[in-house]
Amino acid sequence: RLSTTMDPPPSSSEEEWRSLVEETSSDVRQASRPPRGGFKGGGARRPPSTNVDASAKTSSPAPTSSALSDLLNKNVSGFSFRHMLIVFILAGMVGILVIITSNAEVSTETAMVTEVELVHHDGGEVSVAADASSAVTVDASATIPEKDATDATETIETSKSKATLQEGISAESAPETDDATPPSPETSKSTSNNSLMGFHDPSPESFTHANYYLKPKGAGYPLAPKGGLHPIYIRDAASEEEMQKLVQEMNNDHDTYQETSPYADARLKMTDEERDTENKSWRDHLEGVRNAYGYWDFKDNYQEKNGGIERPVVDFEAIGKMKKEKDEGYNILHGEIDKEDFPEGSWQTDDEYVQNLLDEARKLIHRVQEGIYAEYGWATASLTEEQLSERKVNFGVHLLPQDEPHSKSVDASMGIAWMYEDSFRHFVKKLLNALITNDHFFVILGGHSAAAGHGNNFHQSYMMQFHEIMEPVFDRLGMVLVSANRAQGGMGTLQASLAGTSIYGEKDFMLWDSSMTEKGGGHQDVFFRQMMLTGHRTPILFDMGGGKPTLDNLHDEVGAHVGGLTMGNPSHIEQTTSVEQAKQLPFAVAHLFCASGNDSCNSIENKYNAHCWTDRVDIEPSTVQSEKYGSQVSWHPGFRTHKWIGRRLALVFLHALEEALTLWEKTASTEGNPLDGKHWHISQEEQDIREKLKQADASKTACGQLMADQEKPIQICTTPMRGATQWAPRADPDHSSIISLLKPSPNGYVPGLFENPVNLYNGRDPHFPSQKIPDGEVDVATIARSIAPQSTHRRVLAEFHAEYSSRLENTRQQTTKYPQNQTKQLRSRDLSGDSTVVPGEGWTVLNHPSGFCDGTSNAECKRQEGDGCLMGGHNDSRSVLKGDGLSGWLVFDLKDVKEGLFMARTEIWHAHNSNPRTEGWTSENNVKEGRRGLKAPPPPLPDDFTIEVAVNGEVLYKVDEEGMKARCSPKGEIAYNVSVCKFVDNPELASNNNNNNMEVAIRVTGSGRESVLAISHVYYA
């Protein structure tokens, strides 16, 4: 509030003060003139900046000098100068209020900068912190006279200050219009400008660094993965100067990735002539794809039709915050706003825009489908009507009625996959939700070594094959696809699923592929239940083989939405009868399925084509790279099988997307746009599933029976679990590690990586020329990416990347380095008091890989010195946190613990003296460090081996080796290579202390360095 009096600044002369008043009054008169047609907008809104000096808030005038008093008492035309001054001041106050109101009308609700950290401490809602000074958005529909446009922009930019780092370049001022109709406060919408945005334009791609996304901030934007080579959102990562430069690049040069062959990458060792030949061949290939299949050709002509005004953007964060104030249960990240919440002019409300988008999207889906069909010998042009009908079944999704009798599997003759009818409808609705909210969509895999793709390069695994062709499809449709292969070689899924989504991450579509290592229904049931109970989204559950009975039960019990691949070799894919006959088959089909008596499908040369290295000019490894690729065994599928599985997954999504487009078009034709929430809101249905899971009788579930047999808490089956691990891959690696949960010792030590390996190089690996699809074969990935021809002389965005590589490298280092003996990134701890449970200094992390290992195509993992397969690409590794009898207490700081449950996967079979952190120590927490010792075969544990457990500073109990076995594996391992120890199971320990926070500490005692304990995972609830 402004007072009606204003004091002169203490240091001002009387003349200066009078001059200042007169200047202010003049400026106010100029600034307060409304534009022709009035101000756009309605309702009281906060302006970008309203800073009032404290001196302007006094309630009475300050004493003045006698000379000023005489001046104020003079009469001018019947009025004293004092009267005139008061009038001037009042006019000034009114003018200032007009300016404030005007700015508020021109600007929209101040956008919130959302800072979300998906650490395992955050159990339910993701926290959203609003900082009104950090971001300012401009209502694109506001009218400003052209002559005042520059001044208005400068005012907005001044108030924004550094906000451009988060929000991007401010919108240019819109030209004046005569027919502006201010909306009522009740109908005003929260929007943000779309400067630099192409809602459904192809994002610039780079085959060397992270892509740049010009997409709007969709509903799930705060969940966007960070680190590694994940796309950099222009509105977050670039300064205004950088963005202006990128805009110029985009406008003048566009993205030339598609015109430059990835097999002519400048990092590959080849002559200029070879590179020119490859690029020419690539351009011919692209032109052939465009001519045969078409290309993405969508344009938004909103600005052309509206005199340069930019299309408004839905601000899901701001609208969601207002809704959450009315409903605490509302989850902002779901983006489920009402039909009337969409601002007029946003693309979701534009019937013409939506129809054009649906038409172009349908063409895109059809050409990718056609590419897959042709790849496997079923091109439309070669088929009869009868064969087209057969193809519809063979490559379709078989929908099971709700009352379908359960079966162990569905045969491949029924299609590529199966889903229950209600599950498929929900899948369609889920995709429609992401389409309308410009959201991220998470497709995550948990499984064993075959699922991880061992024996092949990581990019050849079926999850990455799926991502390669579906990522551009999602991109063109305004969404962001996040695909992650978080399978673990030599393991199942239980060790990760007990941590809920802390390791697997957020998920919309969750795949299980671990039938070789988890044949029992109990392990599958734990996995599926925890994936539904945790995170912000309840996923579609998808079985890759062997899990259908478990999914059938969950569908019946809680209404889970489920599906899976069909089983068996499809009869519609031509079999290979001989090596010679294979040469006549399509490349993708040859040696995929072999006829009886022909074993060419299993020969190494036909089954695999993985490599550890290819000749490069940018780096020369000091370690000789292996010519023989590992893990190429009979039970691991080869690259053709992985591609086939990836194509089947892609078709499942393409069919569902096509159905979503059809539903959208049909509904919009009668109800208009935007679509009513009943067609795309999903949170209530998904929450109902979770509530049924929580209320289930755990003792009657396969999960509960497994836990009871192993003497583990059965509430695991009905309680959202959290956890952490040192293994990889894992989501958000820096915040899902065990060490991120630990309290520092009094001198600040936090267990870190004893050997902290670093990548020899960063960036995307170049393509292997030897893996290029042969000339004349169908290239589905290029079909999916097909866009209009680009000028061949324009520069590649790699130059832009290179110019700012230092910034990118700094960002990457900040997001991939682990805390190492420091506390600035960790929680503070009060160590005062009488407790003897003080964090020790002898624990350390061993065998951790270098780089960023999150299981996505954006990972940069295991490229450290000494690795003999730098370009293998795989992420899975097994690092442990190790301590011994001299290491002291290991103290976990756990937040929001409700069940008082703490468990860990432990290894007590490590060799004596194998903790290098305590080498040379003679007592607990000796500060002396030494070199790594040689490992000896693991002998039996010392007779005085003891584990102590404390909670909230009080020692709870001590156990010896037998006691440990009773708590960890009373009836053997709970799963293959998984020994889970129940250390704490008492809800009162959490509920009676510190708002459900719980401190758990573990210490090894006895025989010094010979008593060794390693921890790979922790779990709590």
Side-chain angles (χ1 to χ4, degrees):
R1 289 192 294 268
L2 298 176
S3 63
T4 57
T5 61
M6 182 177 291
D7 302 321
S11 61
S12 301
S13 67
E14 297 158 355
E15 292 77 6
E16 290 172 336
W17 174 231
R18 184 173 65 178
S19 175
L20 176 62
V21 172
E22 292 175 347
E23 289 178 11
T24 302
S25 302
S26 175
D27 291 342
V28 167
R29 287 194 298 272
Q30 293 293 327
S32 62
R33 294 173 183 168
R36 186 161 42 131
F39 288 108
K40 180 84 171 180
R45 303 182 190 175
R46 178 175 293 181
S49 179
T50 310
N51 297 323
V52 181
D53 191 273
S55 62
K57 296 185 179 181
T58 59
S59 58
S60 60
T64 60
S65 66
S66 58
L68 180 59
S69 178
D70 292 340
L71 175 64
L72 295 176
N73 288 325
K74 288 183 179 180
N75 289 331
V76 180
S77 300
F79 293 92
S80 70
F81 195 85
R82 182 186 298 274
H83 292 156
M84 295 179 65
L85 180 59
I86 291 174
V87 171
F88 271 104
I89 292 173
L90 289 173
M93 299 303 100
V94 173
I96 291 174
L97 290 173
V98 170
I99 292 175
I100 293 172
T101 305
S102 300
N103 284 340
E105 308 265 315
V106 174
S107 67
T108 60
E109 291 277 345
T110 301
M112 298 173 294
V113 176
T114 303
E115 186 71 21
V116 175
E117 294 183 357
L118 290 180
V119 297
H120 26 260
H121 291 322
D122 297 335
E125 291 293 326
V126 167
S127 59
V128 179
D131 182 357
S133 64
S134 300
V136 176
T137 56
V138 181
D139 189 340
S141 61
T143 58
I144 305 175
E146 291 179 349
K147 62 185 180 66
D148 294 331
T150 302
D151 293 338
T153 301
E154 290 176 355
T155 301
I156 294 167
E157 287 301 314
T158 299
S159 66
K160 284 176 64 177
S161 183
K162 298 297 184 180
T164 53
L165 289 175
Q166 285 78 26
E167 288 300 311
I169 303 174
S170 65
E172 294 183 3
S173 302
E176 86 178 11
T177 59
D178 293 321
D179 57 351
T181 303
S184 65
E186 292 77 17
T187 60
S188 62
K189 316 293 195 305
S190 182
T191 68
S192 59
N193 64 298
N194 69 334
S195 178
L196 302 182
M197 283 191 185
F199 300 95
H200 299 95
D201 288 342
S203 294
E205 292 185 90
S206 168
F207 46 72
T208 57
H209 291 86
N211 293 339
Y212 283 90
Y213 271 10
L214 310 184
K215 301 298 179 185
K217 292 184 176 181
Y221 165 80
L223 298 176
K226 298 175 178 63
L229 296 168
H230 283 291
I232 298 171
Y233 288 78
I234 294 301
R235 291 177 163 263
D236 282 346
S239 68
E240 180 174 342
E241 180 181 355
E242 291 170 331
M243 285 190 292
Q244 290 283 20
K245 179 177 177 62
L246 181 59
V247 169
Q248 185 176 0
E249 291 275 346
M250 297 292 293
N251 290 338
N252 297 333
D253 299 339
H254 301 286
D255 167 48
T256 58
Y257 172 90
Q258 197 174 22
E259 298 297 328
T260 304
S261 172
Y263 301 101
D265 191 312
R267 296 168 295 174
L268 294 173
K269 188 175 291 186
M270 56 196 308
T271 65
D272 291 342
E273 182 179 1
E274 290 172 333
R275 188 167 280 109
D276 290 342
T277 300
E278 171 57 36
N279 276 326
K280 182 181 183 304
S281 174
W282 182 256
R283 288 191 291 271
D284 291 342
H285 175 58
L286 295 179
E287 189 61 24
V289 167
R290 295 187 191 105
N291 292 336
Y293 294 92
Y295 53 86
W296 183 257
D297 187 20
F298 180 81
K299 181 182 179 183
D300 181 10
N301 57 7
Y302 182 89
Q303 286 185 302
E304 296 175 8
K305 288 186 174 182
N306 292 274
I309 297 176
E310 293 183 337
R311 185 181 288 280
V313 183
V314 184
D315 190 337
F316 287 99
E317 292 175 348
I319 296 174
K321 184 173 185 294
M322 290 186 286
K323 288 184 174 294
K324 191 169 182 63
E325 290 176 354
K326 299 177 182 178
D327 178 9
E328 290 185 0
Y330 181 84
N331 191 329
I332 294 175
L333 299 179
H334 290 163
E336 296 187 350
I337 64 178
D338 299 319
K339 186 169 185 175
E340 58 270 17
D341 292 324
F342 289 91
E344 184 178 354
S346 59
W347 74 263
Q348 294 92 336
T349 68
D350 189 329
D351 289 336
E352 180 183 359
Y353 183 102
V354 170
Q355 187 58 56
N356 291 339
L357 172 64
L358 295 178
D359 291 342
E360 195 63 31
R362 190 172 284 107
K363 294 176 186 176
L364 170 63
I365 290 171
H366 286 172
R367 63 175 168 265
V368 178
Q369 288 173 328
E370 178 62 27
I372 296 175
Y373 298 152
E375 188 178 28
Y376 290 93
W378 285 80
T380 298
S382 64
L383 303 181
T384 64
E385 287 297 323
E386 182 179 357
Q387 289 172 325
L388 287 173
S389 298
E390 290 179 18
R391 188 182 71 180
K392 186 175 182 179
V393 174
N394 293 335
F395 289 86
V397 178
H398 181 63
L399 300 183
L400 301 177
Q402 307 306 105
D403 56 355
E404 176 83 5
H406 293 173
S407 60
K408 189 173 182 180
S409 64
V410 176
D411 189 75
S413 62
M414 306 297 288
I416 57 168
W418 64 270
M419 293 187 80
Y420 282 101
E421 291 174 344
D422 64 330
S423 298
F424 187 75
R425 286 195 299 269
H426 186 77
F427 184 27
V428 169
K429 201 172 184 180
K430 204 173 183 70
L431 288 168
L432 200 53
N433 179 288
L435 282 162
I436 292 175
T437 60
N438 292 120
D439 206 352
H440 285 67
F441 200 92
F442 297 85
V443 182
I444 312 298
L445 167 69
H448 48 36
S449 58
H454 286 194
N456 305 272
N457 288 108
F458 181 69
H459 68 265
Q460 294 179 307
S461 67
Y462 64 74
M463 279 302 296
M464 296 302 101
Q465 290 293 303
F466 162 82
H467 185 82
E468 183 183 25
I469 63 173
M470 290 307 299
E471 189 274 336
V473 173
F474 273 71
D475 178 67
R476 274 59 163 170
L477 299 185
M479 301 175 285
V480 180
L481 176 64
V482 180
S483 308
N485 183 345
R486 297 194 172 121
Q488 181 75 51
M491 301 296 299
T493 61
L494 186 72
Q495 75 283 347
S497 59
L498 284 174
T501 55
S502 300
I503 295 173
Y504 283 125
E506 195 56 82
K507 63 270 172 294
D508 290 290
F509 196 94
M510 192 76 206
L511 300 92
W512 177 85
D513 188 358
S514 195
S515 59
M516 287 195 302
T517 53
E518 294 177 327
K519 298 184 183 299
H523 302 118
Q524 302 166 16
D525 202 34
V526 174
F527 176 90
F528 291 131
R529 287 179 186 274
Q530 280 301 319
M531 293 307 100
M532 289 190 288
L533 282 167
T534 55
H536 289 271
R537 308 176 184 211
T538 305
I540 304 291
L541 303 176
F542 205 76
D543 168 46
M544 302 301 289
K548 184 176 181 296
T550 302
L551 291 183
D552 287 339
N553 292 336
L554 287 169
H555 178 263
D556 294 346
E557 178 190 344
V558 300
H561 294 300
V562 303
L565 292 184
T566 53
M567 296 291 104
N569 292 346
S571 60
H572 56 278
I573 303 296
E574 188 170 355
Q575 292 185 335
T576 301
T577 59
S578 67
V579 174
E580 287 303 315
Q581 178 255 1
K583 297 177 182 178
Q584 309 304 316
L585 297 176
F587 178 72
V589 175
H591 308 293
L592 177 60
F593 300 113
C594 277
S596 177
N598 175 40
D599 199 37
S600 66
C601 295
N602 294 320
S603 67
I604 296 295
E605 58 270 22
N606 294 326
K607 186 177 179 179
Y608 300 104
N609 68 348
H611 305 282
C612 289
W613 193 251
T614 190
D615 289 337
R616 298 171 59 165
V617 298
D618 59 324
I619 184 170
E620 187 69 35
S622 59
T623 301
V624 176
Q625 297 297 287
S626 175
E627 293 186 7
K628 179 178 174 57
Y629 203 92
S631 297
Q632 295 182 341
V633 293
S634 61
W635 59 88
H636 287 163
F639 76 96
R640 285 185 172 89
T641 301
H642 275 281
K643 178 177 286 189
W644 168 239
I645 296 173
R647 296 295 190 262
R648 293 165 71 189
L649 287 175
L651 283 172
V652 171
F653 275 76
L654 291 167
H655 293 325
L657 282 169
E658 185 175 19
E659 185 66 24
L661 299 180
T662 300
L663 175 62
W664 193 346
E665 184 174 45
K666 180 179 179 180
T667 305
S669 67
T670 58
E671 300 179 11
N673 287 295
L675 289 187
D676 189 273
K678 64 185 178 182
H679 301 295
W680 57 276
H681 287 189
I682 57 177
S683 60
Q684 187 58 56
E685 182 178 355
E686 294 187 349
Q687 185 59 35
D688 290 345
I689 293 174
R690 287 189 171 183
E691 289 304 316
K692 291 178 181 178
L693 286 165
K694 292 177 182 178
Q695 299 301 322
D697 184 348
S699 65
K700 296 181 179 179
T701 67
C703 169
Q705 292 168 8
L706 172 68
M707 295 301 157
D709 289 344
Q710 292 291 325
E711 299 181 12
K712 299 293 187 294
I714 65 171
Q715 66 261 39
I716 289 172
C717 307
T718 57
T719 301
M721 296 290 292
R722 289 176 288 160
T725 184
Q726 292 303 138
W727 286 14
R730 59 180 186 266
D732 194 14
D734 295 340
H735 297 113
S736 56
S737 66
I738 295 177
I739 57 179
S740 67
L741 290 174
L742 301 179
K743 285 194 172 186
S745 70
N747 73 355
Y749 175 78
V750 176
L753 311 188
F754 186 78
E755 293 178 343
N756 195 11
V758 296
N759 279 349
L760 292 174
Y761 63 95
N762 287 310
R764 300 185 190 279
D765 276 322
H767 287 52
F768 288 98
S770 59
Q771 294 177 354
K772 182 181 178 181
I773 295 175
D775 292 341
E777 297 287 343
V778 180
D779 184 355
V780 182
T782 299
I783 293 171
R785 283 175 165 77
S786 183
I787 61 175
Q790 308 293 296
S791 174
T792 57
H793 71 275
R794 292 167 178 164
R795 293 191 297 125
V796 185
L797 279 177
E799 294 185 28
F800 179 83
H801 287 286
E803 185 167 346
Y804 299 103
S805 62
S806 60
R807 175 177 62 79
L808 295 176
E809 182 61 25
N810 289 337
T811 301
R812 184 180 297 115
Q813 290 177 355
Q814 292 168 7
T815 58
T816 59
K817 281 192 174 181
Y818 289 84
Q820 190 81 357
N821 301 343
Q822 53 185 318
T823 60
K824 62 183 180 181
Q825 294 179 333
L826 299 161
R827 295 166 294 282
S828 60
R829 159 166 165 71
D830 181 10
L831 295 176
S832 60
D834 299 329
S835 175
T836 59
V837 181
V838 178
E841 300 179 17
W843 293 82
T844 192
V845 176
L846 298 176
N847 306 321
H848 201 282
S850 67
F852 183 86
C853 308
D854 75 338
T856 69
S857 63
N858 300 301
E860 301 171 288
C861 186
K862 298 167 70 171
R863 299 176 180 174
Q864 65 262 34
E865 184 71 40
D867 194 292
C869 198
L870 289 169
M871 291 177 64
H874 284 280
N875 286 212
D876 48 328
S877 62
R878 303 184 196 178
S879 176
V880 294
L881 180 64
K882 182 177 286 190
D884 57 29
L886 301 180
S887 297
W889 287 101
L890 183 68
V891 183
F892 297 87
D893 186 14
L894 309 177
K895 305 297 184 184
D896 194 30
V897 177
K898 295 181 174 61
E899 298 293 325
L901 177 63
F902 179 84
M903 305 187 301
R905 179 191 176 276
T906 60
E907 299 172 357
I908 59 174
W909 42 261
H910 285 248
H912 293 177
N913 307 309
S914 60
N915 178 13
R917 171 72 180 171
T918 60
E919 184 171 348
W921 290 20
T922 57
S923 61
E924 184 173 290
N925 290 328
N926 189 316
V927 296
K928 192 174 181 181
E929 293 186 23
R931 298 171 299 170
R932 178 187 294 272
L934 295 177
K935 293 184 178 180
L941 288 173
D943 293 337
D944 58 352
F945 174 88
T946 304
I947 296 290
E948 293 182 84
V949 176
V951 175
N952 300 328
E954 299 292 332
V955 176
L956 203 61
Y957 61 82
K958 298 181 180 180
V959 293
D960 57 13
E961 180 180 359
E962 291 303 315
M964 271 289 286
K965 289 181 179 179
R967 288 185 170 273
C968 302
S969 305
K971 298 182 180 180
E973 295 179 336
I974 191 171
Y976 175 71
N977 201 15
V978 178
S979 174
V980 175
C981 303
K982 180 181 66 175
F983 287 116
V984 182
D985 183 12
N986 187 343
E988 294 183 1
L989 293 175
S991 60
N992 294 336
N993 185 71
N994 296 329
N995 297 318
N996 294 112
N997 296 335
M998 187 169 76
E999 178 185 284
V1000 177
I1002 298 173
R1003 181 171 67 169
V1004 181
T1005 59
S1007 296
R1009 299 186 67 236
E1010 294 184 359
S1011 298
V1012 180
L1013 175 69
I1015 300 175
S1016 67
H1017 298 69
V1018 296
Y1019 318 104
Y1020 61 97

